[in-house]
Amino acid sequence: NCSAEGCTNRVQKGGVCIRHGAEVSRKNCSAEGCANSVVNGGVCTLHGAKRRICSSEGCTNIAQQGGVCRRHGAESSSAKRKGGKDENSKKKKKKK
């Protein structure tokens, strides 16, 4: 566990969790001069990494979790931490 007082998060680096200062290293795209993070196969989406599309019929959004986008059931990372629905995501009301 994290060495910060009262914190039960998992240690990442240097004896602390990310919240308490551990730096997580991310690999950069292998394309020359590109500073974007790697998505798949050593490259970012601009340089050839394929994006997964939502499996819901007719949807062209990028899949977030379980092959679906947030609109079709993928839970946001902040909602996972809170153990429920993300309070920032509100359903849009249909106009009559």
Side-chain angles (χ1 to χ4, degrees), residues 22-70:
E23 292 184 21
V24 178
S25 61
R26 298 195 187 268
K27 292 184 179 181
N28 286 339
C29 178
S30 60
E32 190 175 330
C34 183
N36 293 330
S37 294
V38 166
V39 173
N40 193 4
V43 292
C44 67
T45 54
L46 290 173
H47 295 106
K50 300 289 183 199
R51 292 182 176 179
R52 294 178 299 136
I53 302 299
C54 179
S55 61
S56 194
E57 189 176 334
C59 184
T60 58
N61 291 331
I62 298 168
Q64 300 293 315
Q65 176 187 14
V68 293
C69 66
R70 287 181 57 188

